[in-house]
Amino acid sequence: MFIFINKVLYGMSSSINACNKLLARLFFSIIMFFTFYTFGQTPDVFRIEYMLMPDNSANVETSRIKLVLNVPLAVRGKKDYVVLGAEYNRYNFEVPDNLFPNADDINKFHVVDVNLAYMYKLSENWRLVGVVTPRWSSNFVEELQQEDFNVNVTAGAYKNIKDVEKPYILVMGLSYNGTSPIDVPLPFLYFEKRFHKNWSYVLGAPKSGMKYFTKKGHFFQTELFLDGYYVNIQNNILLPGNNLSTDVSSTALLLTLGYQYKITKDMSVYLIGGHSLFQNGVLRDQERNDIFTLNDEAGLYFRTGFRIGI
């Protein structure tokens, strides 16, 4: 099962700001290692998705187009799997033209992942998974640069119990992200359990929630989750005060309600709407310190798409 893929506070006094920045770095690291954590909740062979966060009170609008493709190849007598995959995200980030010079340079961001994964059958219930994800993330106003590239690595195990009255999925492991402000591998844990024939709950980071299933292929879900990105800026942006920005990042804590319809067993469409409880888009310097706030106002959130699962 692959592509789970498939990523928080700032205040008034200087002491509160310091504490908030530390929390934001931690939450952003959690987001980033889950963006390339490729097994668990949403196993996709193919997915196309559109996300929109309309203009908020800061006059900022964000949209995203996502494309996902994964090819699982059985090996070792169909006990293990090699998965070759890719994911592309294009962000459109609209900010006021007078916010700073060269604002057009951050209107479009691109994130390209290549997922190389191996799933090893340890026992009837347990699987070990290793994932290496080369990533190119940039505004790509020029040809490729060294700063556009980094590598993410994930190692973990999952247990998927299906043929019981209350099926569940447990996933745990370690993940390292080359762009994370915390330069060490971080642990992750994900648990989903069907506690009733129509209900299941999800506990984990960066996503928790509830799901309601019907017999006719419809299901509803509510989720509390973190989303975000970290992208290199080619043609670094010179800001007032002689500050030079080399990267842009965004973190959002979102509460949503969603609907999904299964066209077939593995093919479905979905629509999700909600609101951000917290949002922080910033320009960062070479040491990854935030030096300019682009968007710290909450707003609406919508996402729709089509997927084919494994």
Side-chain angles (χ1 to χ4, degrees), residues 167-185:
Y168 66 89
I169 299 172
L170 172 65
V171 185
M172 53 188 176
L174 291 172
S175 194
Y176 175 78
N177 188 305
T179 58
S180 170
I182 301 177
D183 195 25
V184 295

Side-chain angles (χ1 to χ4, degrees), residues 138-203:
S138 177
N139 54 344
F140 290 132
V141 294
E142 295 183 352
E143 62 185 27
L144 282 173
Q145 300 176 359
Q146 182 179 351
E147 292 78 9
D148 299 331
F149 178 76
N150 63 85
V151 177
N152 305 321
V153 180
T154 303
Y158 85 88
K159 186 178 186 180
N160 189 1
I161 303 299
K162 296 181 179 180
D163 299 322
V164 295
E165 183 180 355
K166 297 180 179 180
Y168 66 89
I169 299 172
L170 172 65
V171 185
M172 53 188 176
L174 291 172
S175 194
Y176 175 78
N177 188 305
T179 58
S180 170
I182 301 177
D183 195 25
V184 295
L186 295 174
F188 59 82
L189 178 68
Y190 170 84
F191 182 72
E192 179 178 349
K193 185 171 184 178
R194 190 85 166 254
F195 64 91
H196 182 275
K197 65 178 182 178
N198 299 116
W199 289 93
S200 71
Y201 64 83
V202 175
L203 296 175

Side-chain angles (χ1 to χ4, degrees), residues 28-52:
F28 184 75
S29 299
I30 293 173
I31 293 169
M32 294 309 295
F33 74 66
F34 268 92
T35 60
F36 64 89
Y37 158 48
T38 59
F39 51 95
Q41 266 182 312
T42 57
D44 295 323
V45 173
F46 173 79
R47 175 155 50 118
I48 182 169
E49 179 181 279
Y50 177 75
M51 180 275 290
L52 174 66

Side-chain angles (χ1 to χ4, degrees), residues 69-281:
L69 179 66
N70 288 290
V71 181
L73 305 172
V75 296
R76 215 168 65 91
K78 296 187 178 181
K79 291 182 180 180
D80 300 347
Y81 284 89
V82 173
V83 175
L84 307 177
E87 178 175 334
Y88 170 71
N89 289 272
R90 191 190 77 182
Y91 292 89
N92 292 329
F93 190 62
E94 302 294 337
V95 299
D97 293 336
N98 60 354
L99 195 59
F100 55 85
N102 301 327
D104 289 346
D105 285 350
I106 63 166
N107 278 349
K108 286 184 173 59
F109 306 132
H110 307 266
V111 181
V112 181
D113 289 339
V114 177
N115 295 304
L116 309 172
Y118 190 88
M119 178 188 290
Y120 175 78
K121 184 177 181 181
L122 186 65
S123 67
E124 287 303 314
N125 294 326
W126 283 98
R127 303 290 186 273
L128 300 180
V129 178
V131 186
V132 177
T133 305
R135 167 174 290 174
W136 293 264
S137 57
S138 177
N139 54 344
F140 290 132
V141 294
E142 295 183 352
E143 62 185 27
L144 282 173
Q145 300 176 359
Q146 182 179 351
E147 292 78 9
D148 299 331
F149 178 76
N150 63 85
V151 177
N152 305 321
V153 180
T154 303
Y158 85 88
K159 186 178 186 180
N160 189 1
I161 303 299
K162 296 181 179 180
D163 299 322
V164 295
E165 183 180 355
K166 297 180 179 180
Y168 66 89
I169 299 172
L170 172 65
V171 185
M172 53 188 176
L174 291 172
S175 194
Y176 175 78
N177 188 305
T179 58
S180 170
I182 301 177
D183 195 25
V184 295
L186 295 174
F188 59 82
L189 178 68
Y190 170 84
F191 182 72
E192 179 178 349
K193 185 171 184 178
R194 190 85 166 254
F195 64 91
H196 182 275
K197 65 178 182 178
N198 299 116
W199 289 93
S200 71
Y201 64 83
V202 175
L203 296 175
K207 182 179 292 189
S208 295
M210 299 282 291
K211 297 179 182 180
Y212 177 76
F213 303 85
T214 70
K215 294 181 179 179
K216 296 183 178 181
H218 307 270
F219 91 76
F220 302 86
Q221 65 182 22
T222 181
E223 291 182 324
L224 178 67
F225 66 97
L226 286 160
D227 197 4
Y229 56 82
Y230 198 109
V231 176
N232 178 56
I233 300 175
Q234 296 181 346
N235 290 344
N236 299 336
I237 296 174
L238 184 63
L239 298 168
N242 207 32
N243 291 315
L244 190 66
S245 175
T246 60
D247 302 274
V248 59
S249 71
S250 178
T251 306
L253 177 64
L254 298 148
L255 180 63
T256 63
L257 179 65
Y259 164 76
Q260 179 170 312
Y261 173 66
K262 282 196 170 186
I263 303 169
T264 67
K265 180 182 177 181
D266 299 316
M267 189 183 300
S268 59
V269 293
Y270 54 91
L271 177 64
I272 296 167
H275 201 278
S276 58
L277 304 180
F278 166 84
Q279 192 163 326
N280 190 59

Side-chain angles (χ1 to χ4, degrees), residues 275-306:
H275 201 278
S276 58
L277 304 180
F278 166 84
Q279 192 163 326
N280 190 59
V282 296
L283 295 176
R284 297 180 180 270
D285 62 17
Q286 194 169 10
E287 284 71 41
R288 300 177 183 175
N289 298 311
D290 59 306
I291 57 175
F292 189 90
T293 299
L294 296 170
N295 182 21
D296 59 359
E297 299 292 335
L300 295 172
Y301 175 91
F302 302 99
R303 192 169 85 240
T304 186
F306 167 81

